[in-house]
Every structure is written in structure tokens, then in C-alpha cells.
Amino acid sequence: MVKEEKKGEIPVTIIEVIKSRRTIKKFKSDHVDQQLIKKWLDAAAMAPNHRMTEPWEIYFIGPETRGKLNHKTNFGNAPVVIAIISKQGATVVETEENKAAVSCFIQNFMLAAWDEGVGTFWSSIGMKEGNRELMSIPEDYDLLGMFGVGYPEEIPDPKPRTEIENKIKNLP
């Protein structure tokens, strides 16, 4: 569980984990056990997905491939980098449903990791030209993101959010 100095409390509910999660841009070099990562991926797989398509695939990015990606921040020096891709559907609607399901998978993963003190950095660098080929991503998959995963060296303060009341529309 990520410890947050919030009136001396440690987040213990899912709401507190969600509200305390941050994008981490600077990681410690400490090793993250791959079995832990697999545990979080297993939990992430409980994400809602239409007709049980389970459209996600996960690539662990090794040092050789990572070096060729030329990420300007090297994923904050995270000890682990993964790519998460989404299987395209037979129709445009199914492809969009798959992307939504994989986005839920990603959120589940990030929250599961955060709950155990591990942060993530979601980057779209994999979408840049040449990176699909570098990672041998099949043509019938969409790359939804690449993720640095590791123990935070710094946890940023939360960024201001629009009051939810300003996002609600009541229809007749």
C-alpha cells in the first residue's frame, strides 16, 4: 500500500487508492519482482470486456529494445518497462470496445501496483513511427501504451481537477 502523508492516514479503501495514485516520473533502481507484476496483471485481467474477448497482450521490454526506443526520459529510469496492446475487432465498434476493455485492464494494473507501493508511468512513445516494428507488434493490434513500472523516487502532489459537478449533465 502506498503510504501518503494525509493527516497520518494510510489509504485503505479503493477510493483512497484511486485518489492517491500518481503518475511517477522518477523511479528508484530497486528491482520489482516479476511475480508481483504477474499478480497485478492477473488482477487486471478481471477488467470488464465484452463477450470475454480478453483483447490485451503484454510485452516485457528488454534492455536492448528499450535502448532503441530512445525515450527522452528513459521512462524515469523505471526498472521495468512493459507495452500493453489491444486486439483489433472484426468491426470498428468491436475494436473500440476492445480498446475500452484494455484501458480498464491498464487502470486495474496501475491501481493494483499502487496499492503495493509501486508506481507507473504511462507513455505513448510506442505509437511513434518505427516503434511498432521494433517491438514486432502484429498489424491487427493497437498499442495503447508503454509503462515504466517501479518504486517511486518521488511522488508528485495531485494536479487540480475540474469539479465533478461541472461535468454532470442531467437529461429530462
Side-chain angles (χ1 to χ4, degrees):
M1 169 91 44
V2 172
K3 294 182 181 177
E4 180 183 25
E5 292 184 347
K6 183 177 85 176
K7 298 181 185 171
E9 297 177 17
I10 298 172
V12 293
T13 70
I14 189 67
I15 298 290
E16 290 173 313
V17 172
I18 291 167
K19 287 186 171 188
S20 70
R21 191 207 60 79
R22 301 286 178 271
T23 295
I24 302 302
K25 297 213 174 163
K26 194 170 182 183
F27 295 89
K28 296 177 182 176
S29 60
D30 300 3
H31 172 76
V32 180
D33 189 295
Q34 194 165 22
Q35 288 308 110
L36 266 179
I37 295 172
K38 287 180 180 176
K39 178 178 92 168
W40 304 327
L41 291 169
D42 190 49
M46 298 307 292
N49 61 100
H50 63 289
R51 295 181 292 282
M52 292 301 295
T53 57
E54 299 180 305
W56 41 78
E57 298 285 336
I58 301 94
Y59 288 22
F60 281 82
I61 307 302
E64 181 181 329
T65 302
R66 182 174 175 168
K68 292 177 183 175
L69 288 170
N70 194 25
H71 192 269
K72 67 181 176 182
T73 70
N74 190 25
F75 300 94
N77 293 318
V80 177
V81 175
I82 60 174
I84 300 179
I85 63 176
S86 175
K87 177 94 171 119
Q88 294 173 358
T91 66
V92 171
V93 170
E94 187 178 331
T95 295
E96 291 304 311
E97 288 174 340
N98 285 354
K99 287 179 185 178
V102 174
S103 294
C104 291
F105 175 94
I106 289 167
Q107 179 75 352
N108 283 356
F109 172 76
M110 293 189 320
L111 292 172
W114 189 250
D115 187 49
E116 295 198 46
V118 173
T120 54
F121 172 16
W122 188 341
S123 174
S124 60
I125 184 176
M127 297 175 205
K128 289 185 178 176
E129 191 171 330
N131 286 335
R132 285 183 61 90
E133 294 78 22
L134 177 65
M135 293 183 283
S136 301
I137 295 174
E139 287 297 316
D140 59 339
Y141 279 82
D142 293 304
L143 176 60
L144 293 195
M146 299 191 65
F147 301 82
V149 180
Y151 294 96
E153 187 168 305
E154 298 174 353
I155 299 175
D157 290 332
K159 292 183 179 176
R161 305 288 173 140
T162 302
E163 293 292 326
I164 200 64
E165 291 82 13
N166 296 324
K167 297 289 187 172
I168 296 172
K169 305 285 186 249
N170 293 301
L171 302 177

